[in-house]
């Protein structure tokens, strides 16, 4: 939460100005300001000045909530007393309420303009503080947008992770049923739709699609998984490639893949599939 930084104190009448604005000079301290002749008949400017001085004392001790209460009391006595409106804006900013601070600063500018030359420097300070707090509010909005974007990305990643984990758990079941394979495939597609890179789970796509009898769709994923693997034992990938080719009725390519799998930990399954295929047909003689 960004706030305006308070500088030195200006005296008993005026609150200190925030960073980016000029402080009110000591020449405008309470004991040197004339009675405001433009105050309305129901305004108690003298009481407002007393509360304002008490607010400045609390502010000096960094009792910002107390100071804000005193400024509010000053404004009950005199609702358009410019120094109290300025000080109230400072305290609101210190408490992280920058939108409210802007409103108070703008009110101070308007009140000082109406109530005459003796508040010219209050008007100047308040106007500069308006600009400063507008900058802070813009920064806060940018931070809020960035935080919202980060939160959305984190939520998407969490959803993707959950979907992929659920899919891999389904694909690990034995026997793998078409129903489980379809659920796994749908979960992988859900992760893809939210931005997940399907190449990261190419093997699981291949396994799910093969279990659904979609060899032509499974083959590119199986080949991608094989190409991306850094494992010495690649037999599991050759098994999926061989299954895909069988669904595509390419027995020659299937046998080549299953034969390649015989050198790894999936050799038993390679033998099983080769046995299912039987001996290759004898070459024809011309």
């Amino acid at each position: 939460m960004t706030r305006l930084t308070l500088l030195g104190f200006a005296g008993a009448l005026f609150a200190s100005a925030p960073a980016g604005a000029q402080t009110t000079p000591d020449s405008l301290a309470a004991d040197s300001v004339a009675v405001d002749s433009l105050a309305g008949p129901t305004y108690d400017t003298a009481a407002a000045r007393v509360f304002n001085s008490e607010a400045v004392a609390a502010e000096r001790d960094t009792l910002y909530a107390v100071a804000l209460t005193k400024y509010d009391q000053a404004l009950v006595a005199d609702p358009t007393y410019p120094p109290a409106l300025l000080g109230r804006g400072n305290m609101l900013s210190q408490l992280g309420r920058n939108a409210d601070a802007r409103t108070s600063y703008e009110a101070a500018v308007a009140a000082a303009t109406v109530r005459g030359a003796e508040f010219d420097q209050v008007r100047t300070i308040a106007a500069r503080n308006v600009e400063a707090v507008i900058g802070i509010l813009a920064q806060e909005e940018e931070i809020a947008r960035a935080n919202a974007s980060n939160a959305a990305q984190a939520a998407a990643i969490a959803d993707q992770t959950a979907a992929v984990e659920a899919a891999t758990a389904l694909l690990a079941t034995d026997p793998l049923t078409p129903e489980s394979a379809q659920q796994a495939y749908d979960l992988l597609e859900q992760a893809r739709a939210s931005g997940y890179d399907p190449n990261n789970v190419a093997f699981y796509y291949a396994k799910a699609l093969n279990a659904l009898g979609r060899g032509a769709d499974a083959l590119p994923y199986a080949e991608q998984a094989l190409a991306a693997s850094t494992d010495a034992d690649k037999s599991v990938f050759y098994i999926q490639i061989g299954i895909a080719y069988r669904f595509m009725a390419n027995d020659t390519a299937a046998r080549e893949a299953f034969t390649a799998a015989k050198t790894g930990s999936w050799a038993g399954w390679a033998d099983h599939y080769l046995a299912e295929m039987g001996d290759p047909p004898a070459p024809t003689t011309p």
Side-chain angles (χ1 to χ4, degrees):
M1 185 179 296
T2 310
R3 63 196 66 183
L4 294 173
T5 303
L6 296 178
L7 302 179
F9 294 94
L13 176 60
F14 293 100
S16 54
Q22 297 295 318
T23 58
T24 306
D26 290 338
S27 61
L28 292 180
D31 57 358
S32 65
V33 176
V35 174
D36 180 10
S37 60
L38 297 182
T42 61
Y43 293 177
D44 188 348
T45 304
R49 188 177 295 113
V50 171
F51 284 125
N52 197 82
S53 297
E54 292 173 353
V56 170
E59 180 182 343
R60 184 178 293 111
D61 294 332
T62 67
L63 300 174
Y64 300 138
V66 174
L68 179 59
T69 298
K70 292 296 183 180
Y71 284 127
D72 284 339
Q73 290 174 323
L75 292 168
V76 169
D78 185 343
T80 64
Y81 188 53
L85 289 166
L86 172 60
R88 183 174 186 272
N90 289 343
M91 294 307 93
L92 288 168
S93 181
Q94 288 302 303
L95 294 170
R97 296 168 56 186
N98 288 303
D100 292 334
R102 175 182 177 179
T103 299
S104 192
Y105 288 140
E106 289 173 342
V109 172
T113 300
V114 170
R115 293 180 66 162
E118 63 191 76
F119 295 112
D120 279 352
Q121 294 197 37
V122 173
R123 183 179 66 250
T124 299
I125 291 170
R128 290 175 179 172
N129 286 3
V130 168
E131 295 303 315
V133 84
I134 286 174
I136 289 174
L137 289 169
Q139 292 174 4
E140 290 177 346
E141 289 175 3
E142 182 62 30
I143 291 170
R145 283 193 295 269
N147 288 341
S149 176
N150 291 338
Q153 290 177 6
I157 291 171
D159 289 344
Q160 293 165 10
T161 301
V164 169
E165 288 178 348
T168 56
L170 286 166
L171 292 171
T173 58
D174 187 18
L176 176 58
T177 65
E179 292 77 16
S180 293
Q182 185 63 57
Q183 290 178 38
Y185 177 77
D186 291 342
L187 286 165
L188 293 174
E189 286 292 274
Q190 176 184 319
R192 182 210 293 266
S194 64
Y196 194 83
D197 185 354
N199 292 325
N200 292 335
V201 285
F203 172 77
Y204 298 107
Y205 263 103
K207 188 173 182 178
L209 289 164
N210 273 333
L212 294 171
R214 296 170 54 183
D217 294 326
L219 181 61
Y221 285 111
E223 291 177 334
Q224 168 66 25
L226 173 64
S229 174
T230 58
D231 296 337
D233 183 357
K234 302 182 187 299
S235 58
V236 68
F237 306 112
Y238 283 114
I239 290 293
Q240 293 301 323
I241 291 172
I243 293 172
Y245 275 124
R246 285 193 71 185
F247 281 120
M248 296 167 66
N250 188 338
D251 287 353
T252 299
R255 284 191 176 89
E256 290 177 357
F258 291 139
T259 300
K262 287 171 63 67
T263 61
S265 59
W266 283 71
W269 279 103
D271 288 334
H272 168 77
Y273 287 122
L274 288 168
E276 277 189 343
M277 296 179 70
D279 294 331
T284 58
T285 56

